[in-house]
Amino acid sequence: MQTLLNELKHIVGTAHVLTDGDLSAWTQDWRKRTHGQALAVVRPAHTTEVAQVVQACARYRREHPDSPVSIVPQGGNTGLVVGSTPDESGRQIVLSLQRMHAIRQVDGANLTLTVEAGCILQTVQEQAKAAGFWFPLSLAAEGSCTIGGNLGTNAGGTQVLRFGNTRELCLGLEVVTPQGEVWHGLSGLRKDNTGYDLKNLYIGSEGTLGIITAATLKLFPLPKAQLTAWVAVPSTQAAVTLLGLAQQHLGPSLTGFEMMGQFALSLVAKHFDSLRVPLYQDAPFCVLLESASQDAPTQARTQFENMLEAALEAGHASDAVVAENLAQAKVLWQIRESIPLAQAEEGLNIKHDISVPISSMAAFVQTTDAQLAAAIPGVRLVNFGHLGDGNLHYNVQAPVGIDAAVFLREHEPEVNRIVFDSVAAFGGSISAEHGIGSLKIEHLAHYKSPVALGLMRAIKLALDPQNLLNPARVIALP
Amino acid sequence: MQTLLNELKHIVGTAHVLTDGDLSAWTQDWRKRTHGQALAVVRPAHTTEVAQVVQACARYRREHPDSPVSIVPQGGNTGLVVGSTPDESGRQIVLSLQRMHAIRQVDGANLTLTVEAGCILQTVQEQAKAAGFWFPLSLAAEGSCTIGGNLGTNAGGTQVLRFGNTRELCLGLEVVTPQGEVWHGLSGLRKDNTGYDLKNLYIGSEGTLGIITAATLKLFPLPKAQLTAWVAVPSTQAAVTLLGLAQQHLGPSLTGFEMMGQFALSLVAKHFDSLRVPLYQDAPFCVLLESASQDAPTQARTQFENMLEAALEAGHASDAVVAENLAQAKVLWQIRESIPLAQAEEGLNIKHDISVPISSMAAFVQTTDAQLAAAIPGVRLVNFGHLGDGNLHYNVQAPVGIDAAVFLREHEPEVNRIVFDSVAAFGGSISAEHGIGSLKIEHLAHYKSPVALGLMRAIKLALDPQNLLNPARVIALP
């Protein structure tokens, strides 16, 4: 393989083919569940280098069928499903896009921004803002994840309710194919019906069909008024009803609708002394609700408060506070974002990232809660998430007094089966926003329809017949 | 082929396999440019029958490679690119979805509606409204086009600015594959990252990859306030600047932004006496601008008028009228929708449906106008369209006194080349919303990148290796 490594060094420069020292930043997954072994970490500086690296690996693979190399594309390596780190074979190249982080263009009149894949999400947000616009994609890892990773995994986050997933925020892509060709699809067009939708095929394919090297993203006017409320609700059903009411009152101004269970919030209160969690002690669930509009601030506030009053009067909410300023709003979001950290403080747990139709949400929670309680008496549910999108992080924590590691070892398959079977019964998804990677590939094979799996396999085989890009992720070839 | 016809009669019933009499409603395209010859028009009643028809045709094709049959899926047959009518071979089955028109479900809490492919778009709009919701897809053919056709062609229309194309309005599909399998992908989920985006691959594939039999669509709250203005603008650039200003003032409340050239409007005035066209005599362009929001009507009107005042003060607009009621708004839209009819009255013309980045719109129009004027002195441009989406129907009419048929015969290829070359130079699309069908397949082969065409061909071959579905549409196999 030394020949290949030499060729790669020739393409990107010796300094950017890493083979020695501590490579764990690239070879270990974000949650530190797996430790892979890379043949090399290769860091190209521009699209032509990416194409040449892919060509070199494809050629090597053709000429050495007995020791097949493959490529794992990687952005910020913050994914949660072990999709961007190498396996233990030592025959995988990690192709890191981190050096490709330029903002290529901001086009205000077209409301678009063109950026390279390795750019950190927060930088995209900041550059958009500096130009007077809003790029609304927002998620916990935004300080270290890259836009290429967000696109590769079709990331969700907290603004999906109004703006959609990353897919809906992207107008065009530049992609290096498994043959090392470059598709220049960086369209800033809002309408283009000239053939199959290649863009959306690459988005969410987790680096298995091509390597996204740049993207043209949608920008939006900065909002003139932003309002944030924390609302106590008497039940999941009440939260769903409140969502409908907020949509009727606010329309597209409603940008965020997060639901948090009492136990999840109690963990934040327990482990983060400095955070004062409002209203949670007397309510089974709280909702974090946000609006953004071009209305004048006083007018927007009146409309927002009218909505909350209507909800209180109708009994969909038992209490509510509205943030008086941006600082207060930030604290409310900090509480929401601290739930996973508080949960980690409490001990290991079994995480899920599921979605169901919003109309089935209450029934799903009630049914699944009951099934888990029956199977494992005392089990604790850290239930929170993007209710406005029908997406919950329905996490399962050991009963009080039970060692978390033992709980996981003994109960993880059973808990997954109960939760995923229930998701399937309600017509939901076992991975709403995190993707499949290698972590969920066997679950997918079980829960996805054979017709869909067959179609996915045919597409993978057609576009990457060598199985060069991120093999054994998302869909396994025979 | 009688065996096949008998088998099809067995599947859907003899009454629904049409072979005799006047079949032109199915075999002639909407603009009556082509007259095909069908082996039969087959009208299944439900998804299982569609699957059986496909299986029967696939089997026949395997067993009779010398007289290959194929299938042309058809909805309302209102497409503009000859994509849903049979060729002249007499070996194509028209598979009409018209009998499958049921609304399967309206789920208010999930804001979704599930409908069969053959349902007329206007019926979908009406059923949504009857349930208290808004399905915003709207286009000239809505009284006769079907939602399956809208999905197959990723139709655009007048509400794309806020809601996106048909693609963005769809959450899930049911599809019969070229193998006659059924993909049950009728998800009402807003987040589902379990594998490749099959839904968007089928949407816009014009029946070449699968047959859409049903869809789950997004619903929206009915707006509380709707405002419509007719604005005279001094130039294309001023219209683009007005668009940016309207977006800053109204955000997502801005739902429509149509631009119309003076000559286009003069044709409406000339051929439709009863329509009083406002403001067009002293301005090179007029804009039809619409907003819809959940604000109280008086409040929405103030905001809307503030925006117009700012535009007038800054000189982006020279005059403006606001519709006082829904009836007045309807008349303004009627003028806009009458342009193609008025143009037809004036005589045959060369139609285009192009898009460019909005920031390039003014330069594109100026450059292309000049090139056409230089090539064909006296040529007249009927320029109108969805400026908010960067999409123009940039149509070319014969000079005064020149016979339209002669003009088309002598100049169509030259005019297309000038317009499409200019579109390509500005990074645009030669088919923004109408699709490719058979009418533009050769243009596509010329203007689309070879990499993209190669990817499309690989996908078509992978999913429909028999080339059974709508062959020689969108992408030709060797």
Side-chain angles (χ1 to χ4, degrees):
Chain A
M1 302 212 179
Q2 198 53 47
T3 352
L4 176 62
L5 289 177
N6 289 341
E7 194 175 353
L8 298 178
K9 285 175 187 167
H10 184 73
I11 296 167
V12 302
T14 306
H16 301 298
V17 177
L18 315 180
T19 52
D20 305 322
D22 180 11
L23 299 180
S24 59
W26 294 275
T27 57
Q28 187 177 57
D29 80 291
W30 185 249
R31 288 179 61 201
K32 304 192 166 124
R33 294 171 68 135
T34 59
H35 308 262
Q37 177 77 30
L39 174 59
V41 176
V42 180
R43 305 171 76 232
H46 48 71
T47 305
T48 310
E49 287 184 4
V50 176
Q52 289 170 342
V53 167
V54 173
Q55 287 163 18
C57 292
R59 201 180 315 118
Y60 187 89
R61 191 172 172 125
R62 265 197 311 278
E63 291 165 2
H64 300 82
D66 294 339
S67 69
V69 297
S70 54
I71 296 173
V72 181
Q74 190 181 87
N77 194 19
T78 62
L80 298 174
V81 291
V82 194
S84 62
T85 47
D87 61 24
E88 288 157 20
S89 68
R91 289 196 296 229
Q92 294 199 296
I93 300 279
V94 174
L95 194 151
S96 166
L97 279 300
Q98 281 169 316
R99 287 177 68 217
M100 292 182 55
H101 52 67
I103 305 276
R104 290 196 190 161
Q105 192 196 23
V106 177
D107 182 344
N110 199 41
L111 288 179
T112 49
L113 180 153
T114 300
V115 60
E116 291 181 348
C119 189
I120 302 285
L121 172 54
Q122 197 173 303
T123 308
V124 180
Q125 296 166 345
E126 288 165 359
Q127 292 294 311
K129 199 168 180 185
F133 299 100
W134 186 16
F135 181 65
L137 182 65
S138 177
L139 44 94
E142 61 196 25
S144 40
C145 65
T146 64
I147 190 69
N150 300 143
L151 287 158
T153 58
N154 186 30
T158 57
Q159 306 288 306
V160 174
L161 184 53
R162 150 111 171 256
F163 295 99
N165 298 284
T166 309
R167 173 166 286 132
E168 282 81 34
L169 293 169
C170 176
L171 289 174
L173 293 179
E174 179 186 87
V175 174
V176 172
T177 71
Q179 291 74 38
E181 294 187 300
V182 183
W183 174 50
H184 297 283
L186 280 180
S187 145
L189 305 175
R190 303 201 176 240
K191 281 182 171 172
D192 179 15
N193 276 347
T194 56
Y196 302 154
D197 187 353
L198 302 173
K199 181 196 81 185
N200 283 320
L201 192 57
Y202 289 118
I203 296 176
S205 70
E206 304 186 26
T208 63
L209 300 179
I211 300 169
I212 295 170
T213 51
T216 299
L217 307 170
K218 288 184 195 170
L219 297 177
F220 297 85
L222 284 165
K224 292 203 173 62
Q226 221 158 349
L227 288 149
T228 311
W230 187 276
V231 187
V233 298
S235 66
T236 317
Q237 185 52 56
V240 170
T241 311
L242 173 63
L243 171 66
L245 187 134
Q247 283 165 326
Q248 288 289 344
H249 276 252
L250 305 176
S253 300
L254 183 66
T255 54
F257 197 98
E258 303 285 309
M259 185 178 78
M260 300 148 288
Q262 190 173 42
F263 178 59
L265 291 172
S266 78
L267 291 181
V268 175
K270 177 178 169 189
H271 294 288
F272 298 101
D273 256 4
S274 63
L275 287 173
R276 273 193 52 231
V277 183
L279 307 183
Y280 80 100
Q281 275 159 321
D282 300 320
F285 292 95
C286 288
V287 164
L288 179 54
L289 197 155
E290 195 159 73
S291 85
S293 79
Q294 306 310 111
D295 289 350
T298 48
Q299 191 176 305
R301 186 166 183 117
T302 304
Q303 199 181 14
F304 193 74
E305 289 178 344
N306 286 347
M307 177 271 298
L308 290 174
E309 263 169 46
L312 287 161
E313 265 174 40
H316 312 320
S318 56
D319 206 348
V321 290
V322 178
E324 288 302 322
N325 50 48
L326 216 62
Q328 286 186 7
K330 268 196 171 165
V331 170
L332 296 178
W333 277 105
Q334 201 187 340
I335 295 168
R336 160 64 184 84
E337 300 289 7
S338 299
I339 294 173
L341 307 169
Q343 207 187 350
E345 289 291 324
E346 187 73 6
L348 285 172
N349 54 79
I350 305 168
K351 291 190 193 301
H352 301 107
D353 162 43
I354 61 92
S355 64
V356 294
I358 294 163
S359 46
S360 298
M361 191 54 96
F364 166 79
V365 170
Q366 196 181 13
T367 308
T368 321
D369 280 8
Q371 287 172 346
L372 285 167
I376 310 164
V379 75
R380 298 177 297 169
L381 295 165
V382 183
N383 188 358
F384 66 102
H386 319 292
L387 185 75
D389 319 316
N391 173 203
L392 290 182
H393 299 300
Y394 186 86
N395 298 345
V396 181
Q397 200 113 21
V400 176
I402 303 283
D403 181 78
V406 174
F407 172 71
L408 253 71
R409 201 165 55 235
E410 290 182 356
H411 291 291
E412 189 162 10
E414 179 189 7
V415 165
N416 284 339
R417 188 186 50 70
I418 291 171
V419 173
F420 291 158
D421 281 0
S422 184
V423 165
F426 284 99
S429 165
I430 64 163
S431 188
E433 56 176 11
H434 293 167
I436 299 301
S438 57
L439 199 66
K440 295 188 188 167
I441 193 166
E442 283 177 31
H443 293 308
L444 192 73
H446 183 73
Y447 287 99
K448 191 100 176 172
S449 88
V451 176
L453 291 170
L455 290 164
M456 286 168 55
R457 212 171 286 121
I459 292 166
K460 169 73 175 169
L461 260 172
L463 300 192
D464 183 16
Q466 276 195 303
N467 206 8
L468 183 71
L469 293 188
N470 226 4
R473 308 294 161 89
V474 185
I475 184 87
L477 293 185
Chain B
M1 301 212 179
Q2 198 53 47
T3 351
L4 177 61
L5 289 176
N6 289 340
E7 195 174 351
L8 296 178
K9 285 175 188 168
H10 184 73
I11 295 166
V12 302
T14 305
H16 300 297
V17 177
L18 315 180
T19 52
D20 304 321
D22 180 10
L23 299 180
S24 60
W26 294 276
T27 56
Q28 185 177 59
D29 80 293
W30 186 248
R31 287 179 62 202
K32 304 193 165 121
R33 295 172 66 134
T34 60
H35 309 261
Q37 177 75 30
L39 173 60
V41 175
V42 180
R43 306 172 76 232
H46 47 72
T47 306
T48 309
E49 287 184 4
V50 176
Q52 288 170 343
V53 167
V54 173
Q55 286 163 18
C57 292
R59 200 180 315 118
Y60 187 87
R61 189 171 173 125
R62 264 196 313 276
E63 292 166 1
H64 300 82
D66 295 338
S67 69
V69 297
S70 54
I71 297 172
V72 180
Q74 190 180 89
N77 194 20
T78 63
L80 299 174
V81 291
V82 194
S84 62
T85 46
D87 61 24
E88 289 159 18
S89 69
R91 288 196 297 228
Q92 295 199 295
I93 300 281
V94 174
L95 194 150
S96 166
L97 280 300
Q98 282 170 316
R99 286 177 69 218
M100 292 181 57
H101 52 66
I103 305 276
R104 289 197 190 159
Q105 192 195 24
V106 177
D107 182 344
N110 198 42
L111 288 178
T112 50
L113 178 153
T114 300
V115 61
E116 291 181 348
C119 189
I120 302 285
L121 173 54
Q122 197 173 304
T123 308
V124 179
Q125 296 165 345
E126 287 165 358
Q127 291 294 310
K129 197 166 182 187
F133 299 99
W134 187 17
F135 181 64
L137 182 65
S138 177
L139 44 95
E142 62 196 25
S144 41
C145 65
T146 65
I147 190 69
N150 300 144
L151 288 158
T153 58
N154 186 31
T158 57
Q159 307 287 305
V160 175
L161 183 54
R162 150 109 172 257
F163 295 99
N165 298 286
T166 309
R167 174 167 285 131
E168 281 80 36
L169 292 170
C170 175
L171 290 173
L173 294 179
E174 178 185 270
V175 173
V176 172
T177 72
Q179 292 73 38
E181 293 188 300
V182 183
W183 174 49
H184 297 282
L186 281 180
S187 145
L189 304 175
R190 309 216 166 226
K191 282 182 171 172
D192 179 14
N193 277 346
T194 56
Y196 303 154
D197 187 353
L198 302 174
K199 180 195 80 186
N200 283 320
L201 192 58
Y202 289 118
I203 296 176
S205 70
E206 305 186 26
T208 64
L209 300 178
I211 300 169
I212 295 170
T213 50
T216 299
L217 307 169
K218 290 185 193 169
L219 297 177
F220 297 84
L222 284 166
K224 292 203 174 63
Q226 220 158 347
L227 288 149
T228 310
W230 187 277
V231 187
V233 297
S235 66
T236 317
Q237 185 53 54
V240 171
T241 310
L242 173 63
L243 171 66
L245 187 134
Q247 283 165 327
Q248 287 290 343
H249 275 252
L250 304 176
S253 299
L254 183 66
T255 53
F257 195 99
E258 303 285 310
M259 185 177 79
M260 299 148 290
Q262 192 175 40
F263 178 60
L265 291 172
S266 77
L267 292 181
V268 175
K270 176 178 170 189
H271 294 288
F272 297 103
D273 257 4
S274 63
L275 287 173
R276 272 195 50 234
V277 183
L279 307 184
Y280 79 101
Q281 274 159 321
D282 300 319
F285 292 95
C286 287
V287 164
L288 179 54
L289 197 155
E290 194 158 72
S291 85
S293 79
Q294 306 311 112
D295 289 350
T298 50
Q299 193 177 303
R301 187 166 182 117
T302 305
Q303 200 182 10
F304 193 73
E305 290 179 343
N306 286 346
M307 178 270 297
L308 290 174
E309 264 169 44
L312 287 162
E313 266 174 39
H316 312 319
S318 55
D319 205 348
V321 289
V322 179
E324 287 302 323
N325 51 48
L326 216 62
Q328 286 186 7
K330 267 197 170 165
V331 171
L332 296 178
W333 276 105
Q334 201 188 340
I335 295 169
R336 159 66 184 84
E337 301 289 8
S338 298
I339 294 174
L341 306 170
Q343 207 187 348
E345 289 291 324
E346 186 72 6
L348 283 173
N349 54 80
I350 306 169
K351 290 190 194 302
H352 300 108
D353 162 42
I354 60 92
S355 65
V356 294
I358 293 162
S359 47
S360 299
M361 192 53 98
F364 166 80
V365 170
Q366 197 181 11
T367 308
T368 321
D369 280 8
Q371 288 172 347
L372 285 168
I376 310 163
V379 74
R380 298 177 297 169
L381 296 165
V382 184
N383 188 358
F384 67 100
H386 320 291
L387 185 75
D389 318 317
N391 173 201
L392 290 182
H393 299 301
Y394 185 87
N395 298 345
V396 182
Q397 200 114 20
V400 176
I402 304 282
D403 180 80
V406 174
F407 173 71
L408 254 71
R409 200 166 54 237
E410 290 182 358
H411 291 291
E412 189 162 13
E414 178 189 8
V415 165
N416 284 339
R417 189 186 48 71
I418 290 172
V419 173
F420 291 158
D421 280 0
S422 184
V423 164
F426 284 98
S429 165
I430 63 161
S431 187
E433 57 175 10
H434 294 167
I436 299 301
S438 57
L439 198 65
K440 296 189 187 166
I441 192 166
E442 282 176 31
H443 294 306
L444 192 73
H446 182 73
Y447 287 99
K448 192 101 176 170
S449 89
V451 175
L453 290 169
L455 290 163
M456 285 167 56
R457 212 170 286 120
I459 292 167
K460 169 72 175 171
L461 260 173
L463 299 192
D464 183 16
Q466 276 195 302
N467 206 8
L468 183 70
L469 292 188
N470 226 4
R473 308 296 161 89
V474 185
I475 185 87
L477 292 184

